[in-house]
């Protein structure tokens, strides 16, 4: 009995996946969606950064360093940054919590704590925004010289 149920389930699953899902998409709906997305992107805010990466160069393990990424909203609507997160807990971003109007400037402060880090370090900060892309990224790098080992 179990074997019969298993065979029936496999048969149903095999034949239910036969149809190509892309054939079900109505071309008119696709066209409407593309036009809508284009109009949304056309009026979206745009973050124009003075730089999107920064290299701290050589630093010593334990140093806490920081840099500022300046930006301007060159888009047509208010820029909203809902979150900023880093690829590591050693990197802390600080961002504007209020909307940035078109033509206004803002800054993202990024602090990096090199304690426990050695050699080449690359950290990414991802900003969740209402830009056309939905997110923006900045990157920091540093060459961390390890603390001397106690003999």
């Amino acid at each position: 009995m179990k074997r019969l149920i298993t065979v029936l389930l496999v048969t149903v699953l095999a034949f239910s996946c036969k149809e190509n899902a892309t054939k079900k998409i109505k071309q008119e709906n696709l066209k409407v969606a593309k036009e809508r997305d284009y109009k949304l992107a056309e009026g979206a805010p745009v973050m124009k950064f003075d730089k999107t990466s920064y290299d701290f160069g050589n630093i010593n393990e334990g140093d806490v360093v920081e840099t500022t990424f300046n930006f301007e909203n060159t888009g047509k609507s208010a820029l909203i940054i809902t979150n900023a997160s880093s690829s590591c807990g050693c990197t802390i971003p600080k961002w504007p919590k209020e909307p940035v109007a078109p033509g206004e400037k803002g800054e993202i402060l990024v602090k990096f704590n090199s304690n426990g880090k050695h050699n080449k370090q690359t950290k990414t900060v991802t900003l969740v925004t209402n830009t056309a892309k939905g997110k923006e990224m900045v990157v920091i790098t540093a060459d961390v010289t390890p603390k001397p080992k106690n003999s």
Side-chain angles (χ1 to χ4, degrees), residues 61-98:
E61 179 183 354
D63 289 350
V64 177
V65 292
E66 64 182 54
T67 189
T68 301
F69 294 91
N70 296 301
F71 67 88
E72 181 179 358
N73 177 2
T74 60
K76 297 181 180 179
S77 59
L79 170 69
I80 300 170
I81 303 171
T82 56
N83 193 25
S85 59
S86 67
S87 57
C88 176
C90 61
T91 306
I92 308 295
K94 198 173 190 180
W95 69 96
K97 306 297 190 273
E98 299 298 320

Coordinates of all heavy atoms in Angstrom, one line a residue, residues 61-98:
E61 N 46.6 47.0 15.0 CA 45.5 46.2 15.6 C 45.1 47.0 16.9 O 46.0 47.4 17.7 CB 45.9 44.8 15.9 CG 44.8 44.0 16.6 CD 45.3 42.6 17.0 OE1 46.4 42.2 16.7 OE2 44.5 41.9 17.6
G62 N 43.8 47.2 17.0 CA 43.3 47.9 18.2 C 42.9 49.4 17.9 O 42.2 50.0 18.6
D63 N 43.4 49.9 16.8 CA 43.1 51.2 16.4 C 41.6 51.3 16.0 O 41.1 50.4 15.4 CB 43.9 51.7 15.2 CG 45.3 52.0 15.5 OD1 45.7 52.0 16.7 OD2 46.1 52.2 14.5
V64 N 40.9 52.4 16.4 CA 39.6 52.6 15.9 C 39.6 53.9 15.0 O 40.1 54.9 15.4 CB 38.6 52.9 17.1 CG1 37.2 53.3 16.6 CG2 38.6 51.8 18.1
V65 N 39.3 53.6 13.7 CA 39.4 54.7 12.7 C 38.0 54.9 12.1 O 37.1 54.1 12.2 CB 40.4 54.3 11.6 CG1 41.8 54.2 12.2 CG2 40.1 52.9 11.0
E66 N 37.9 56.1 11.5 CA 36.6 56.4 10.9 C 36.8 57.3 9.7 O 37.8 57.9 9.5 CB 35.7 57.1 11.9 CG 36.2 58.5 12.4 CD 35.2 59.1 13.4 OE1 34.9 58.5 14.4 OE2 34.9 60.3 13.2
T67 N 35.8 57.2 8.8 CA 35.7 58.0 7.6 C 34.3 58.4 7.4 O 33.4 57.8 7.9 CB 36.3 57.3 6.4 OG1 36.4 58.3 5.3 CG2 35.5 56.2 6.0
T68 N 34.1 59.5 6.6 CA 32.8 60.0 6.2 C 32.6 59.9 4.7 O 33.5 60.3 4.0 CB 32.6 61.4 6.7 OG1 32.8 61.5 8.1 CG2 31.2 61.9 6.4
F69 N 31.5 59.3 4.3 CA 31.1 59.2 2.9 C 30.0 60.3 2.7 O 28.9 60.2 3.3 CB 30.5 57.9 2.6 CG 31.5 56.8 2.6 CD1 31.7 56.0 3.8 CD2 32.3 56.5 1.5 CE1 32.7 55.0 3.8 CE2 33.3 55.4 1.5 CZ 33.4 54.7 2.7
N70 N 30.4 61.4 2.0 CA 29.4 62.5 1.7 C 28.6 62.1 0.5 O 29.1 61.5 -0.4 CB 30.2 63.8 1.5 CG 30.9 64.2 2.8 OD1 30.3 64.4 3.8 ND2 32.2 64.3 2.7
F71 N 27.4 62.5 0.5 CA 26.5 62.3 -0.7 C 25.6 63.4 -0.9 O 25.3 64.2 0.0 CB 25.7 60.9 -0.5 CG 24.7 61.0 0.6 CD1 23.4 61.4 0.3 CD2 25.0 60.5 1.8 CE1 22.5 61.4 1.3 CE2 24.1 60.5 2.9 CZ 22.8 61.0 2.6
E72 N 25.0 63.5 -2.1 CA 24.0 64.4 -2.4 C 22.8 63.7 -3.0 O 23.0 62.8 -3.8 CB 24.5 65.5 -3.4 CG 23.5 66.6 -3.7 CD 24.0 67.6 -4.7 OE1 25.2 67.6 -5.0 OE2 23.2 68.5 -5.1
N73 N 21.6 64.1 -2.7 CA 20.4 63.5 -3.4 C 20.2 64.3 -4.7 O 19.7 65.4 -4.7 CB 19.2 63.6 -2.5 CG 17.9 63.1 -3.2 OD1 18.0 62.6 -4.3 ND2 16.8 63.2 -2.5
T74 N 20.6 63.7 -5.8 CA 20.5 64.4 -7.1 C 19.2 63.9 -7.8 O 19.0 64.3 -9.0 CB 21.7 64.1 -8.0 OG1 21.8 62.7 -8.2 CG2 22.9 64.7 -7.3
G75 N 18.3 63.2 -7.1 CA 17.1 62.7 -7.7 C 16.0 63.7 -7.6 O 16.2 64.9 -7.3
K76 N 14.7 63.3 -7.9 CA 13.6 64.1 -7.9 C 12.6 64.0 -6.7 O 11.6 64.6 -6.7 CB 12.8 63.8 -9.2 CG 13.6 64.2 -10.5 CD 12.8 63.9 -11.7 CE 13.6 64.2 -12.9 NZ 12.9 64.0 -14.2
S77 N 13.0 63.1 -5.8 CA 12.1 62.9 -4.6 C 13.0 62.7 -3.4 O 14.2 62.5 -3.5 CB 11.2 61.7 -4.8 OG 11.9 60.6 -5.0
A78 N 12.4 62.8 -2.2 CA 13.2 62.7 -0.9 C 13.8 61.3 -0.8 O 13.2 60.3 -1.1 CB 12.2 63.0 0.2
L79 N 15.0 61.3 -0.4 CA 15.8 60.1 -0.1 C 15.6 59.7 1.3 O 15.7 60.5 2.2 CB 17.3 60.4 -0.3 CG 18.3 59.3 0.1 CD1 18.1 58.0 -0.8 CD2 19.7 59.8 0.1
I80 N 15.2 58.4 1.5 CA 15.0 57.8 2.8 C 16.0 56.6 2.9 O 15.9 55.7 2.1 CB 13.6 57.4 3.0 CG1 12.7 58.6 2.9 CG2 13.4 56.8 4.4 CD1 11.2 58.3 2.8
I81 N 16.8 56.6 4.0 CA 17.6 55.5 4.3 C 17.0 54.8 5.5 O 16.9 55.4 6.6 CB 19.1 56.0 4.6 CG1 19.7 56.8 3.5 CG2 19.9 54.8 5.0 CD1 21.0 57.4 3.8
T82 N 16.5 53.6 5.3 CA 15.8 52.9 6.4 C 16.7 52.1 7.3 O 16.3 51.8 8.4 CB 14.6 52.0 5.8 OG1 15.2 51.1 4.9 CG2 13.6 52.9 5.1
N83 N 17.8 51.7 6.7 CA 18.8 50.9 7.5 C 20.2 51.0 6.9 O 20.3 51.2 5.7 CB 18.3 49.5 7.6 CG 19.0 48.6 8.6 OD1 19.5 49.2 9.6 ND2 19.1 47.3 8.4
A84 N 21.1 50.7 7.8 CA 22.5 50.6 7.3 C 23.1 49.5 8.1 O 23.0 49.4 9.4 CB 23.3 51.9 7.5
S85 N 23.7 48.5 7.4 CA 24.3 47.4 8.1 C 25.7 47.1 7.5 O 25.9 47.4 6.3 CB 23.5 46.1 8.0 OG 23.2 45.8 6.7
S86 N 26.6 46.5 8.3 CA 27.9 46.2 7.8 C 28.1 44.7 7.8 O 27.4 44.0 8.4 CB 29.0 46.9 8.7 OG 28.9 46.3 10.0
S87 N 29.2 44.4 7.1 CA 29.5 42.9 6.9 C 30.2 42.4 8.1 O 30.5 41.2 8.2 CB 30.4 42.7 5.7 OG 31.5 43.5 5.8
C88 N 30.4 43.2 9.2 CA 31.1 42.8 10.4 C 30.7 43.7 11.5 O 30.5 44.9 11.3 CB 32.6 42.9 10.1 SG 33.6 42.5 11.6
G89 N 30.6 43.1 12.7 CA 30.3 43.9 13.9 C 31.3 44.9 14.3 O 31.1 45.8 15.1
C90 N 32.5 44.8 13.7 CA 33.6 45.7 14.0 C 33.4 47.0 13.2 O 34.2 48.0 13.4 CB 34.9 45.1 13.6 SG 35.0 44.7 11.8
T91 N 32.5 47.1 12.3 CA 32.2 48.3 11.5 C 30.8 48.8 11.8 O 29.8 48.1 11.6 CB 32.4 47.9 10.0 OG1 33.6 47.3 9.8 CG2 32.3 49.1 9.1
I92 N 30.8 50.1 12.3 CA 29.5 50.7 12.7 C 29.2 51.9 11.8 O 30.0 52.9 11.8 CB 29.6 51.2 14.2 CG1 30.1 50.1 15.1 CG2 28.3 51.7 14.6 CD1 29.2 48.9 15.2
P93 N 28.1 51.8 11.1 CA 27.7 53.0 10.3 C 26.7 53.9 11.0 O 25.9 53.4 11.9 CB 27.0 52.3 9.1 CG 26.4 51.1 9.6 CD 27.3 50.6 10.7
K94 N 26.8 55.2 10.7 CA 25.8 56.1 11.3 C 25.3 56.9 10.1 O 26.1 57.4 9.3 CB 26.6 57.1 12.2 CG 25.7 57.8 13.2 CD 26.5 58.6 14.2 CE 25.7 59.1 15.3 NZ 26.5 59.9 16.3
W95 N 24.0 57.0 9.9 CA 23.3 57.6 8.7 C 22.2 58.5 9.1 O 21.7 58.5 10.2 CB 22.8 56.5 7.8 CG 21.6 55.7 8.4 CD1 20.3 56.0 8.1 CD2 21.6 54.6 9.3 NE1 19.5 55.1 8.8 CE2 20.3 54.3 9.5 CE3 22.6 53.9 10.0 CZ2 19.9 53.2 10.4 CZ3 22.3 52.9 10.8 CH2 20.9 52.5 11.0
P96 N 21.8 59.4 8.2 CA 20.7 60.3 8.5 C 19.4 59.6 8.7 O 19.1 58.7 7.8 CB 20.6 61.3 7.3 CG 21.8 60.9 6.4 CD 22.4 59.6 6.9
K97 N 18.7 59.8 9.7 CA 17.4 59.2 10.0 C 16.2 59.9 9.4 O 15.2 59.4 9.2 CB 17.2 59.0 11.5 CG 18.3 58.3 12.2 CD 18.5 56.9 11.8 CE 19.5 56.2 12.7 NZ 20.9 56.2 12.5
E98 N 16.5 61.2 9.0 CA 15.4 62.0 8.4 C 15.6 62.0 6.9 O 16.7 61.8 6.4 CB 15.6 63.5 8.9 CG 15.4 63.7 10.4 CD 14.0 63.2 10.9 OE1 13.0 63.5 10.2 OE2 13.9 62.6 12.0

